[in-house]
Amino acid sequence: MPELPEVETVARGLKAQLCGRTLGNVHLMRSDTVHGEPGPLCAMIRGRTVRRVHRRGKRVVIELTGGCELIIHLGMSGQLTVVPAGAPVGTHTHLRIVIPAADRELRYRDPRRFGGVWLLAGGPTHIGRRLSSLGREPLELTLPEFRSLLRRRRQIKALLLDQSVISGLGNIYCDEALYRARIHPLASADRLRIDRVRGLLQAIRRVLRSAIRARGSSVRDYRDAGGAEGGYQRQHQVYGREGRPCPRCRTGIVRILVAGRSTHICPRCQQRRTRPAAT
DNA sequence: CGCATTTCCTGGAGGC
DNA sequence: TGCCTCCAGGAAATGC
């Protein structure tokens, strides 16, 4: 499930392959994967050159000349790869963009179709407005900013998963960060003491940075821009480890449901506690 | 407002 | 082997 570290890894891989390249023909096999500006996608992007590739939240952003951008959301099972032009086309490949000078293709494949591609035009200001509903980048948050985001009476995990608040965390990294910070996912965000808030921000940063270093988590479908798996799943301490011992205290990891998501906790390390009443 | 539930979609896992 | 059901989850919509 591509979250921030996976999308960052994909974006970095694409950057190396795409920056400075001019795009050629576009083969759109499933038209409902593309949204945004009207008009034939091919006509809109053919001949444009890739200026920059980066990540915003869980989205890959490919900036093209002429003030237009391709935004790709990988959903659950989306893969963006650059392959030799003649490589066999896998099932559920919805979009191919030829890179003529490199004799390669950018391919977008998404079996479960939770992802999508947006073509945005009209220059940076217009595009910025369209992306303005995305929340803050977790790796850029300061402690005071994080504190202010947490001043709401919401389950902490539900808040962390809310992309309009913080953009980039998904189920895996929420569970891993809450475990490392020893916070119960159902704890109310506005009742966490400052030391817990500090610890949580630190845990989020550490988990995300380690996961980026390991090139993401390949639990099921995730592959990077070169088709390779990530390695961070080997460092998961709670996610997908129901029944196995907590790395800290050996208590069995338990799976509960929070915000409609399966959630993995150590019942001993992550106890629900309420703040003592003020006297 | 917040939270639970449902929807979209498909492949893989497990039951029989 | 084959068929069925269930499950995973990001995000948006709906209901309470």
Side-chain angles (χ1 to χ4, degrees):
Chain A
M1 297 107 235
E3 304 177 27
L4 187 152
E6 291 77 33
V7 179
E8 178 68 29
T9 304
V10 169
R12 288 180 185 179
L14 291 177
K15 185 178 180 177
Q17 301 266 5
L18 294 181
C19 270
R21 296 292 190 187
T22 298
L23 304 181
N25 282 332
V26 175
H27 304 271
L28 181 58
M29 285 87 110
R30 268 206 81 104
S31 56
D32 62 358
T33 54
V34 178
H35 315 83
E37 298 296 324
L41 183 69
C42 181
M44 292 291 288
I45 69 177
R46 189 166 70 178
R48 295 187 196 264
T49 300
V50 177
R51 295 174 57 155
R52 184 170 168 237
V53 180
H54 62 110
R55 176 194 59 75
R56 175 76 177 92
K58 295 177 188 171
R59 290 154 174 82
V60 175
V61 180
I62 302 177
E63 289 184 19
L64 306 176
T65 46
C68 90
E69 294 186 358
L70 279 171
I71 315 277
I72 300 102
H73 192 281
L74 299 173
M76 264 195 80
S77 59
Q79 294 171 6
L80 265 184
T81 50
V82 175
V83 300
V89 180
T91 53
H92 308 290
T93 300
H94 306 315
L95 176 67
R96 298 160 52 207
I97 301 177
V98 177
I99 313 160
D103 203 28
R104 294 183 155 243
E105 286 181 9
L106 171 65
R107 290 186 182 171
Y108 172 68
R109 166 172 193 270
D110 183 17
R112 283 171 220 186
R113 293 202 274 128
F114 274 31
V117 177
W118 284 258
L119 176 65
L120 304 183
T125 318
H126 176 72
I127 292 170
R129 225 170 281 139
R130 297 203 45 173
L131 293 176
S132 62
S133 59
L134 281 180
R136 308 294 309 276
E137 283 290 329
L139 288 175
E140 292 169 9
L141 278 178
T142 64
L143 181 59
E145 288 167 342
F146 188 54
R147 277 187 88 178
S148 73
L149 294 179
L150 265 48
R151 284 200 192 102
R152 301 164 71 164
R153 197 204 244 65
R154 288 186 70 178
Q155 300 166 344
I156 184 64
K157 180 168 176 179
L159 191 77
L160 296 178
L161 282 172
D162 186 336
Q163 302 299 299
S164 68
V165 178
I166 296 172
S167 164
L169 293 174
N171 213 29
I172 296 175
Y173 298 105
C174 277
D175 282 6
E176 293 295 322
L178 287 168
Y179 165 77
R180 283 164 172 83
R182 304 183 187 233
I183 295 172
H184 195 286
L186 287 172
S188 186
D190 63 351
R191 314 227 349 159
L192 295 173
R193 283 195 291 245
I194 179 63
D195 59 317
R196 294 265 139 183
V197 174
R198 188 182 295 119
L200 178 56
L201 181 58
Q202 201 169 63
I204 289 170
R205 285 188 191 137
R206 285 183 177 160
V207 165
L208 292 179
R209 290 200 178 116
S210 305
I212 290 171
R213 216 172 301 129
R215 307 181 57 79
S217 302
S218 286
V219 172
R220 199 180 234 133
D221 308 288
Y222 168 70
R223 298 291 183 277
D224 70 16
E229 293 190 7
Y232 194 70
Q233 65 280 4
R234 290 188 286 273
Q235 294 177 61
H236 290 177
Q237 307 202 344
V238 287
Y239 183 85
R241 296 177 52 86
E242 183 183 9
R244 304 184 55 191
C246 163
R248 271 195 304 247
C249 75
R250 319 313 293 172
T251 302
I253 301 298
V254 168
R255 192 162 64 99
I256 61 175
L257 208 62
V258 179
R261 298 278 165 266
S262 75
T263 297
H264 310 75
I265 60 168
C266 168
R268 184 156 173 218
C269 296
Q270 293 167 274
Q271 287 183 26
R272 269 198 92 168
R273 51 169 105 183
T274 39
R275 208 207 292 243
T279 46

